[in-house]
Amino acid sequence: MARISLAPPRTLALRIGEWYSHRRYGKVLDPGKALAHNPRVLMDYVRLERGVGRWRTLDPALRHLAVMASAARIGCSWCLDFGHWEARELRLPLERIRYVPVWRGHRDLFTELEIQVMEYAEAVTETEPAVTDEMVRALVGRLGEKAFVELTAIVAVENLRSRVNSAFGLTGQGFSDRCEVPPLPPGRTPQASRPSDRPEPGAAEPLP
């Protein structure tokens, strides 16, 4: 149950946000309702997200894996739930995306680069960060410095999202229920394509 009321004052900014959210996502997002108690924070948050949405250097599939791995490390159930909707919008293979929170036990479902990205996302998310020189060298060598900077920044942004949502006590809104493949518990083997069956994604080459 949310720790903060999800019925903020009915300001003009909130009404506009509700209209856009319904149109874009089919429902009003709970983080927006919580943040709307402080309209200035809400508007600056929206500006940040709009700016982040224009980042285009990092491969979208790698970016999404990094975001999901960070959210899972923090334990933000709202972000993981919403992440399944985003994966569907990006046309990513949901039968693999649902295993991101337990990727270490299902390495055969991911490419070497995908594993490096998720491992780095978790290291950045740790308190204190556990990034190593070897991680950075490997990723810069594979992605280039421009995409590596974007990777690091998107993980930091996801830390903001996940920590705010977790502090507010927000949980899933049923987005994963609207996907073709819902999340599965650890231990089950999905009928997914193996990394060897697919080209490995690069900085501008999304997964099929």
Side-chain angles (χ1 to χ4, degrees):
M1 183 175 180
R3 299 186 180 103
I4 185 172
S5 168
L6 298 181
R10 303 284 303 166
T11 63
L12 177 60
L14 176 62
R15 293 197 295 272
I16 293 174
E18 287 177 335
W19 172 83
Y20 175 80
S21 188
H22 267 299
R23 182 179 178 183
R24 179 73 177 88
Y25 308 111
K27 61 180 70 178
V28 180
L29 304 186
D30 285 348
K33 295 178 186 177
L35 291 169
H37 286 286
N38 188 320
R40 178 165 293 181
V41 171
L42 174 63
M43 294 309 297
D44 286 344
Y45 200 100
V46 170
R47 291 189 189 98
L48 170 64
E49 290 289 2
R50 290 184 65 183
V52 170
R54 291 192 290 270
W55 296 352
R56 291 290 186 270
T57 304
L58 183 65
D59 173 84
L62 295 177
R63 169 180 169 142
H64 193 68
L65 289 175
V67 166
M68 292 287 280
S70 178
R73 187 68 188 88
I74 291 171
C76 179
S77 62
W78 193 93
C79 292
L80 290 174
D81 177 54
F82 184 71
H84 283 80
W85 180 88
E86 288 188 309
R88 184 189 62 183
E89 293 295 295
L90 290 170
R91 297 183 180 179
L92 300 181
L94 297 174
E95 71 274 14
R96 292 198 307 125
I97 292 297
R98 61 186 174 180
Y99 276 89
V100 171
V102 290
W103 66 265
R104 292 178 186 277
H106 301 276
R107 290 173 178 266
D108 58 315
L109 299 179
F110 302 97
T111 67
E112 179 185 2
L113 179 55
E114 290 169 346
I115 289 173
Q116 288 175 331
V117 165
M118 291 187 290
E119 184 178 35
Y120 179 72
E122 289 184 346
V124 174
T125 303
E126 290 287 351
T127 305
E128 300 174 350
V131 175
T132 66
D133 294 343
E134 290 73 17
M135 286 180 186
V136 174
R137 278 196 296 268
L139 285 169
V140 169
R142 301 289 290 276
L143 301 174
E145 292 179 333
K146 187 175 181 180
F148 173 75
V149 168
E150 185 173 314
L151 170 62
T152 305
I154 194 61
V155 173
V157 170
E158 182 55 37
N159 268 253
L160 169 63
R161 298 167 180 154
S162 288
R163 293 183 189 279
V164 168
N165 293 343
S166 295
F168 287 162
L170 303 182
T171 56
Q173 286 188 251
F175 283 102
S176 61
D177 297 336
R178 295 161 56 188
C179 297
E180 292 88 344
V181 184
L184 288 181
R188 293 183 59 184
T189 302
Q191 297 300 315
S193 57
R194 298 300 180 94
S196 58
D197 299 329
R198 311 180 312 278
E200 186 172 276
E205 185 180 343
L207 288 171

